[in-house]
Amino acid sequence: MGRVAGKAALITGAAGGLGQAMARMLVREGARVALSDLDLNGARALAETINAEHPGMAFAYEHDVTREDDWVRVVGAAVQDMGGLSILVNNAGIGGSLLWAEQDTLENWRKVQAVNLESVMLGCKHAMAPLRASGAGSIVNISSIAGLAAAPGMGVYNATKAAVWLYTKTVALECAKAGWNVRANSVHPVFIKTPILDPFIAMAGGDEANAHEKLARGIPLKRIGEPDDVAYCVLYLASDESKFVTGAEFKIDGGLTAQ
Ligand SMILES: NC(=O)c1ccc[n+]([C@@H]2O[C@H](COP(=O)([O-])OP(=O)(O)OC[C@H]3O[C@@H](n4cnc5c(N)ncnc54)[C@H](O)[C@@H]3O)[C@@H](O)[C@H]2O)c1
């Protein structure tokens, strides 16, 4: 208990599978959480559940991470409601269309780039001042194993997640060079059981177990991940336990990329 006691985290895409797991875990370990999502009802429902057990620890905001004005509003509100900001988790993201290069569209690329990549730049930009002011800031960018290894049909997802991987290092080095105590690291999960896998379940005719079994085939541990597998990594990076860790990438992949 208390690994992030007194800290204040903004988590984007907090109503989704990974966001919910991170939020619950950070609160269990003592942090206040600002839960932002396009899905305001989802963020509110999560905040209510958390506050029922830990009163006053969670706040919900409607947030389109592709919009700069939303970032300004949400960061301002989160800082005000929580009394500061020490952790930013850029978690909101969408899958691509699963189209191969020849069939893919500019519209699909621009949409996925805006949600998965431009949002990370906007978050780092607009949260930096309060993160610096906290005296010990941590940025955790949720990339993917798909940012380190390519797969057919994953073009724009691969490209955006690879860009998040390297951009995180740029931000880490800028903060270090400036002498700010703000760290930045990226997290790279393989398939984790959340709604983002729904297209794969649809491809398996709606048979979830079958889809998960297919997705697990290439993974040495022979299973796909649970949201808490990622949340534990975020907890470590958000805490001062990782105070000498910056510009690094963390693979949560059941051994996939060890092969
Ligand atoms: N689950 C996996 O298998 C997996 C693997 C690797 C990486 N990831 C990454 O983890 C992150 C979280 O994914 P998840 O698995 O929880 O998916 P999810 O679909 O359960 O949740 C994503 C959340 O992001 C929100 N969102 C979408 N567009 C948004 C926007 N423009 N502004 C604000 N919020 C928006 C959605 O409303 C949703 O609540 C994503 O960046 C995803 O790419 C997931």
Side-chain angles (χ1 to χ4, degrees):
M1 292 290 283
R3 290 172 63 186
V4 284
K7 293 187 180 290
L10 169 56
I11 303 170
T12 67
L18 295 190
Q20 291 203 22
M22 294 166 195
R24 292 174 196 276
M25 194 172 288
L26 289 176
V27 169
R28 272 205 305 277
E29 294 294 337
R32 279 153 293 151
V33 289
L35 310 171
S36 88
D37 204 294
L38 260 188
D39 173 9
L40 178 61
N41 289 337
R44 275 193 180 141
L46 177 62
E48 276 170 26
T49 310
I50 289 174
N51 286 330
E53 212 178 321
H54 306 274
M57 295 297 273
F59 305 85
Y61 311 93
E62 186 167 18
H63 185 187
D64 181 345
V65 293
T66 68
R67 293 185 54 129
E68 188 156 20
D69 54 349
D70 268 22
W71 272 104
V72 173
R73 175 179 53 78
V74 170
V75 168
V79 167
Q80 191 165 22
D81 291 339
M82 298 193 294
L85 184 68
S86 39
I87 301 157
L88 169 66
V89 188
N90 278 310
N91 168 68
I94 55 175
S97 59
L98 300 180
L99 294 172
W100 289 29
E102 207 177 357
Q103 282 79 39
D104 213 344
T105 63
L106 192 55
E107 191 189 7
N108 176 50
W109 266 72
R110 287 185 172 154
K111 183 177 169 200
V112 179
Q113 279 191 97
V115 179
N116 290 5
L117 177 58
E118 291 174 13
S119 66
V120 176
M121 181 281 283
L122 291 172
C124 293
K125 177 180 168 72
H126 291 290
M128 193 60 80
L131 289 172
R132 286 169 60 186
S134 77
S138 175
I139 297 169
V140 183
N141 291 331
I142 306 302
S143 173
S144 170
I145 212 68
L148 303 173
M154 300 287 283
V156 66
Y157 193 76
N158 283 145
T160 56
K161 293 299 188 179
V164 168
W165 168 65
L166 203 60
Y167 180 68
T168 304
K169 293 179 190 292
T170 304
V171 173
L173 293 177
E174 288 176 1
C175 293
K177 186 163 185 168
W180 303 333
N181 192 12
V182 178
R183 300 176 293 105
N185 295 286
S186 58
V187 175
H188 302 258
V190 74
F191 303 115
I192 311 287
K193 289 175 197 163
T194 77
I196 213 170
L197 298 187
D198 287 353
F200 296 99
I201 297 170
M203 279 161 62
D207 183 340
E208 185 175 292
N210 180 252
H212 288 175
E213 191 267 321
K214 279 186 180 151
L215 293 173
R217 274 182 199 159
I219 300 174
L221 289 183
K222 296 287 175 227
R223 59 178 186 270
I224 67 170
E226 306 286 342
D228 272 357
D229 294 328
V230 178
Y232 277 117
C233 184
V234 172
L235 172 63
Y236 166 68
L237 292 172
S239 79
D240 294 334
E241 294 162 14
S242 58
K243 67 185 189 317
F244 198 51
V245 178
T246 196
E249 57 284 281
F250 290 78
K251 300 186 248 179
I252 315 289
D253 73 349
L256 182 72
T257 52
Q259 299 174 104

